[in-house]
Amino acid sequence: MHHDSCIYTPLSNLIMGLRLFNTLTRSVEEFVPLDPEGRRVGMYCCGPTVYDFGHIGNFRTFVFADLVRRTLEFCGYAVTHVMNITDVEDKIIRRIRQTGIPLAEYTGRYLAAFLEDSKTLNILPPHHMPRATEHIAEMQDIIRRLIERGYAYQAPDGSVYFSIDRYIAAGARYGRLLNLKLEPHPEHLRVEADEYAKESVADFALWKARVPEDGDVFWPSPWGEGRPGWHIECSAMSVKYLGPAFDLHLGGEDLIFPHHENEIAQSEGADLQTEGRPFVRYWLHGAHLLVDGRKMSKSLGNFFTLRDILERGFAGREIRYQLLSGHYREPLNFTLDGLSAARSALARIDECIDKLQNIAGGAHAQPDRSILDKFTAALEDDLNIAAAWAVVFDWVREQNRQLAANQATPASAASALATWEQMDRVLGVGRLSANSVPPEVMALVEARQEARKNKNFARADALRNELKNRGWLIEDTPKGPRVKRIPAQA
Ligand code: AMP
Ligand code: ZN
């Protein structure tokens, strides 16, 4: 139905409509938006905790969310993409205690870094990026409703907890995402309040009472000074920007339980939805990123921030390519060899595009619909990105064959360029034409010129080597230095 609004009219019956794996039902389902007109889509992805630089695992999840959004837009939907910023949380409080930097300044620094890194990866900025510290009132509102409905209680320590037992006892289901069947445990309700702060160990904090270690990180509330729990953040901010019931909720697979389960309990427990609608229609989870086949960890020495990888000379688009190389539900093994392969793959596309550009000149033409149909069909099949890349590389091979046989005309080349432009709306790897040099590479070239001027030849040579490591050759001509991309090995 939504194909009426699709950016082009599909030619073939390959096009079946978008299908996505829903963690809630453990099956691939046809995607049908809540919007009766089938056009608008609300999508929420849990955002970063801004306590440090983002690691490449985090960015796998954000690139996955970007792929979902771009695919929806490619299919003609009008997407509202919301991502929260967790700017108050235990790890953040620990860091500001250690460093003495005020909360807003500390989180502001890492939020800026996160946004810069997202841009490096060509992740489209979400339409709303609400911060937890700016939505305390909305969180308190949901907590109040949960207390009124009997699902939350204030413990002797002053904190407010969500009672899973009371929620289940009222007939609600907890454990839907994991398909757990939890029964109420009335014995927990009998635990002496002065022995345990919580009625039951499974209960989770909605509001954490102020403790001395929190320093000046606290807000007033009807339940005393304190700060919100992490789960309530996402319930409050998703509902504020997308309404009480919305289409898609995304995150890394580690968030399925308890974070997303608790979001459901809070949002549905607060009874915000009308007509028995669920809080979220489709739950999508991205599998984790492994590095050299193992879980990324500081102690294994395989822990990389995005910036670590950039320092090794790789470009954002190469990292994006590798993060987009496998299906989102499969673990992805990140390796430096993989990045070199990404460089070669992209160079193959760049070369082809450059040649097409030379032939097309200023000509314009329609994209090749049969290619776009295949590409769309791959993505519609639960975002089968490997199949989508296969369409791209088969197409590149065919273009190269035509170019080698001198069969390309300005019109055919222009059509091919238009085809690539459409596919790149989803892939977002851009095109690097022979004469576009990234600013960080230009900065190195200029630094080398400066070193040569000062007769610091050791430094000039070091910078030349640095450029080489990044895949750039420098040639000194009478008109000054020229940089060229080192051609990829075939
Ligand atoms: P955080 O900043 O810790 O709140 O995490 C932000 C996002 O990154 C969440 O959606 C996590 O699920 C996701 N994430 C954390 N580690 C990894 C990993 N190794 N691979 C993929 N996603 C991850
Ligand atoms: Zn969340």
Side-chain angles (χ1 to χ4, degrees), residues 140-260:
Q140 292 185 352
D141 213 46
I142 298 182
I143 298 171
R144 192 171 321 119
R145 289 177 71 100
L146 290 170
I147 294 175
E148 279 165 16
R149 280 162 183 72
Y151 299 139
Y153 61 92
Q154 186 164 27
D157 69 349
S159 295
V160 178
Y161 294 95
F162 185 97
S163 165
I164 291 168
D165 286 334
R166 297 190 200 181
Y167 185 58
I168 296 171
R173 169 112 195 268
Y174 184 83
R176 273 180 263 183
L177 288 170
L178 282 182
N179 203 16
L180 290 175
K181 188 149 172 44
L182 292 187
E183 302 292 347
H185 294 80
E187 68 274 17
H188 290 139
L189 294 170
R190 290 195 303 268
V191 170
E192 287 296 324
D194 54 350
E195 279 186 56
Y196 297 99
K198 299 194 272 183
E199 289 176 355
S200 164
V201 282
D203 293 356
F204 58 91
L206 299 166
W207 186 258
K208 297 183 171 183
R210 181 183 172 192
V211 291
E213 299 83 74
D214 290 344
D216 58 4
V217 182
F218 63 86
W219 288 264
S221 88
W223 319 286
E225 288 169 342
R227 58 187 169 99
W230 170 41
H231 312 300
I232 195 70
E233 242 185 63
C234 286
S235 284
M237 294 192 272
S238 60
V239 161
K240 171 160 181 181
Y241 293 94
L242 294 171
F246 57 92
D247 298 293
L248 293 149
H249 195 314
L250 283 64
E253 62 185 352
D254 56 313
L255 300 189
I256 297 175
F257 192 88
H259 183 54
H260 288 163

Side-chain angles (χ1 to χ4, degrees), residues 45-51 54-62 86 89 91 114 230 250-256 260 286-290 295-296:
C45 180
C46 294
T49 306
V50 283
Y51 76 104
H55 61 66
I56 49 170
N58 299 137
F59 285 107
R60 178 184 191 195
T61 294
F62 298 120
T86 300
E89 187 262 354
K91 288 192 288 283
F114 174 80
W230 170 41
L250 283 64
E253 62 185 352
D254 56 313
L255 300 189
I256 297 175
H260 288 163
H288 267 188
L289 178 109
L290 305 173
K295 191 179 149 85
M296 191 166 43

Side-chain angles (χ1 to χ4, degrees), residues 410-470:
S412 74
S415 167
L417 287 174
T419 309
W420 169 244
E421 214 167 273
Q422 287 302 324
M423 294 194 285
D424 194 50
R425 282 178 58 202
V426 178
L427 302 170
V429 290
R431 47 183 282 209
L432 193 72
S433 80
N435 43 22
S436 82
V437 181
E440 65 276 12
V441 170
M442 275 323 294
L444 288 170
V445 173
E446 277 155 26
R448 177 174 170 272
Q449 278 304 91
E450 190 63 27
R452 277 161 54 98
K453 221 170 73 195
N454 298 331
K455 308 230 178 300
N456 186 348
F457 295 111
R459 176 156 166 76
D461 283 349
L463 287 162
R464 174 196 281 274
N465 261 331
E466 171 69 29
L467 282 160
K468 196 170 146 219
N469 289 340
R470 290 180 183 231

